[in-house]
Amino acid sequence: MRLSRYFLPVLKETPAEAQIASHRLMLRAGMIKQASAGIYSWLPLGYKVLKNIERIVHEEQQAAGHIPLLMPTLQPADLWRESGRYDAYGPEMLRIRDRHERDMLFGPTNEEMITDIFRSHVTSYRDLPMTLYHIQWKFRDEVRPRFGVMRGREFYMKDGYNFDVDREAALHAYNRHMVSYLRTYERMGIQAIPMRADSGPIGGEDTHEFLLLAETGESEVFYDTAITDLKLGARPIDYDSVADCQAIVDEWTAPYARTDETHDESLFDAVPEERRRVSRGIEVGQIFYFGTKYSEAMGATITNSEGQVVPVHMGSHGIGVSRLVGAIIEANHDDKGIIWPEGVAPFHCGIVNLRQGDGDCDAICARIEAELMTAGLDPLYDDRDERAGAKFATMDLIGLPWRITVGPRGLKNGVVELTSRRTGESEELPVEAAVDRLVQIYSS
Ligand code: P5A
């Protein structure tokens, strides 16, 4: 993409309404525009990051054997009357009446709708286990929408629902989700720690939130630093193996890690003092096992292997896809701007032409751009007629992980400069070597 033809409305001034770094930087980098309190348009740069996060979530869900579908944003109130949540949900639910005076709502979550789909089509244990998920906009009329996309009213969520024959099978689904979430967040370049939490309006007793440690987080968290040393890495995972998933869950749930809702002072005191931390975190996901809460209320039954008709066991599992855009920035920025982890960056690399209009510089930039694209990478070429300082400031602000700088002085010696946004370190390399290096970085 050529920057001269792109739509990147960066702001020079720091927007007064933004209280935290990620919100400020998303506005300044031209990623979002507020449409109304807690409701945002995703401008091209923000949209790209959102889609990258969405893609990783899809890939990891499907690697775990979960099936994508798409449910609507608007739901009939009657389904929620069946579960009893239409009255229980409270003012966070946006209620709408259509022209035929039918009660509708903008879905804050989809337990009822998926249970309705399930009960219409599945009747036997032979069709289980099954996990269906979608990535769809949700609406919660939050009292205090704030921090930009972090606590929005309209937000993008991956929500998945498992259907299992009994509690044991459903607990495997719970574990499978925990493991797949760990991998999902690692691929985004962040560490999200599973912490025992409270289930709120979704229900059930088994629930973990995934928290990204950050001073600006809304949740108070208590943890043993041993958990921050854990990494899934590239280890192979057999999601069908109950033992494999359980072993990983045991590893991640052994160290103490809880939110303030479930914090237990006496258990925390048993952690060696030097490893105890009280801190803040951003909730980027939550998983629940709630058994037959919805299936009993809505008559979602199956015939088990003994021929008995029983309510299906369920859980639900959410990832805050749009919140993650802000959360990742909260954990990856400096005073110049965003520093995208490679897995979610809106462009793989920036190309800065220091002397626009100079025949050699223009030709080399165009060649680098073409070669990166042929290799399957997506560069952003700053071909504007601007000062070098302004071009660097834009690149630093929007946070592309790598920058190739092309100028007349370097070209005289046959080199360009490859710079890491994270470390600030630069290296002079011949054009081919710089392109090869980037291809290598993104293929590993
Ligand atoms: C699990 C999926 C649920 O709704 N039902 C379906 C369950 N869980 S949850 O914890 O309430 O939400 C899942 C994740 O969505 C994100 N999230 C938000 N993101 C931005 N703005 C909001 N107002 C908002 N509310 C929830 C969080 O990341 C949460 O973990």
Side-chain angles (χ1 to χ4, degrees):
M1 176 57 66
R2 302 266 165 124
L3 190 46
S4 64
R5 298 177 202 164
Y6 198 50
F7 179 54
L8 184 71
V10 298
L11 305 179
K12 289 225 167 55
E13 307 301 321
T14 297
E17 75 269 27
Q19 298 162 20
I20 60 170
S22 58
H23 189 195
R24 271 195 299 276
L25 289 169
M26 286 182 76
L27 291 168
R28 284 197 50 218
M31 294 177 65
I32 50 169
K33 175 169 184 342
Q34 184 175 310
S36 153
I39 303 179
Y40 291 88
S41 295
W42 291 79
L43 304 182
L45 195 77
Y47 180 63
K48 265 178 153 266
V49 178
L50 187 70
K51 288 287 144 183
N52 285 345
I53 291 173
E54 179 179 6
R55 179 178 40 77
I56 293 175
V57 173
H58 270 302
E59 285 172 5
E60 292 306 323
Q61 283 304 300
Q62 288 170 51
H66 305 160
I67 309 167
L69 48 54
L70 186 60
M71 291 175 270
T73 51
L74 294 187
Q75 305 185 16
D78 281 345
L79 279 181
W80 288 67
R81 292 197 173 102
E82 282 189 55
S83 73
R85 281 209 295 181
Y86 189 64
D87 293 325
Y89 214 93
E92 265 191 25
M93 182 190 279
L94 181 64
R95 293 153 211 259
I96 304 162
R97 188 160 287 168
D98 73 11
R99 69 199 297 166
H100 304 292
E101 300 291 309
R102 278 187 290 247
D103 289 328
M104 310 284 290
L105 56 101
F106 196 124
T109 175
N110 283 56
E111 280 78 8
E112 285 77 0
M113 185 162 277
I114 201 82
T115 306
D116 179 51
I117 292 172
F118 182 88
R119 73 179 170 185
S120 307
H121 299 287
V122 185
T123 53
S124 166
Y125 76 97
R126 288 199 180 83
D127 294 322
L128 305 183
M130 187 190 287
T131 294
L132 302 170
Y133 79 93
H134 73 162
I135 302 180
Q136 177 62 293
W137 293 97
K138 304 288 185 291
F139 196 94
R140 294 182 186 173
D141 206 350
E142 302 274 352
V143 198
R144 287 187 65 206
R146 59 185 185 147
F147 301 160
V149 299
M150 211 82 99
R151 181 164 294 281
R153 292 199 297 162
E154 189 186 52
F155 60 98
Y156 208 34
M157 188 207 286
K158 171 263 160 178
D159 41 323
Y161 305 86
N162 68 286
F163 299 93
D164 285 279
V165 66
D166 54 24
R167 179 183 157 84
E168 199 186 334
L171 288 176
H172 172 56
Y174 186 87
N175 289 349
R176 199 173 61 231
H177 277 88
M178 185 179 292
V179 176
S180 71
Y181 278 25
L182 291 171
R183 175 143 283 171
T184 303
Y185 297 121
E186 276 191 15
R187 277 190 62 190
M188 294 176 190
I190 56 171
Q191 183 175 43
I193 303 172
M195 301 201 182
R196 192 160 271 293
D198 179 64
S199 68
I202 305 292
E205 276 168 21
D206 289 298
T207 182
H208 279 85
E209 287 180 1
F210 289 78
L211 287 118
L212 173 75
L213 298 174
E215 277 165 29
T216 48
E218 292 187 290
S219 317
E220 189 175 26
V221 298
F222 302 80
Y223 65 96
D224 174 345
T225 54
I227 203 164
T228 58
D229 298 332
L230 300 178
K231 207 167 175 5
L232 265 188
R235 69 176 95 167
I237 294 164
D238 177 357
Y239 283 107
D240 290 331
S241 163
V242 170
D244 281 15
C245 291
Q246 187 67 56
I248 295 172
V249 168
D250 288 347
E251 197 183 337
W252 258 266
T253 51
Y256 187 92
R258 295 192 178 195
T259 64
D260 54 357
E261 294 155 345
T262 57
H263 178 56
D264 181 323
E265 226 22 91
S266 59
L267 291 176
F268 193 48
D269 284 346
V271 176
E273 197 176 351
E274 69 280 7
R275 298 207 320 241
R276 265 180 251 156
R277 293 286 182 284
V278 181
S279 166
R280 302 200 73 79
I282 302 168
E283 181 204 323
V284 289
Q286 188 164 4
I287 56 176
F288 302 82
Y289 166 65
F290 44 68
T292 56
K293 172 175 168 174
Y294 298 90
S295 56
E296 269 189 64
M298 297 180 66
T301 55
I302 47 151
T303 308
N304 67 16
S305 58
E306 275 111 52
Q308 299 155 324
V309 176
V310 292
V312 69
H313 281 251
M314 292 173 61
S316 71
H317 315 275
I319 294 183
V321 175
S322 50
R323 174 177 289 182
L324 270 163
V325 181
I328 292 170
I329 297 175
E330 245 357 271
N332 294 281
H333 69 272
D334 60 16
D335 25 331
K336 291 191 224 151
I338 303 166
I339 308 172
W340 290 114
E342 270 123 12
V344 299
F347 293 95
H348 293 114
C349 123
I351 303 169
V352 169
N353 188 342
L354 292 179
R355 181 85 51 85
Q356 205 66 46
D358 172 277
D360 287 346
C361 289
D362 291 2
I364 293 294
C365 285
R367 188 175 127 208
I368 293 171
E369 181 191 33
E371 286 181 8
L372 288 172
M373 285 166 70
T374 307
L377 298 185
D378 188 12
L380 178 67
Y381 170 19
D382 190 345
D383 60 339
R384 297 169 306 159
D385 191 12
E386 282 275 359
R387 289 177 302 108
K391 290 190 175 187
F392 290 147
T394 302
M395 284 296 172
D396 285 344
L397 174 63
I398 68 172
L400 308 185
W402 296 94
R403 188 185 78 208
I404 294 183
T405 309
V406 177
R409 207 175 323 142
L411 286 190
K412 231 182 260 165
N413 303 320
V415 293
V416 296
E417 198 179 57
L418 180 66
T419 308
S420 156
R421 172 70 181 86
R422 192 168 290 278
T423 64
E425 281 164 23
S426 290
E427 202 181 338
E428 294 199 324
L429 294 165
V431 171
E432 284 317 312
V435 169
D436 287 350
R437 177 74 60 82
L438 280 178
V439 172
Q440 199 187 349
I441 287 166
Y442 280 104
S443 61
S444 61

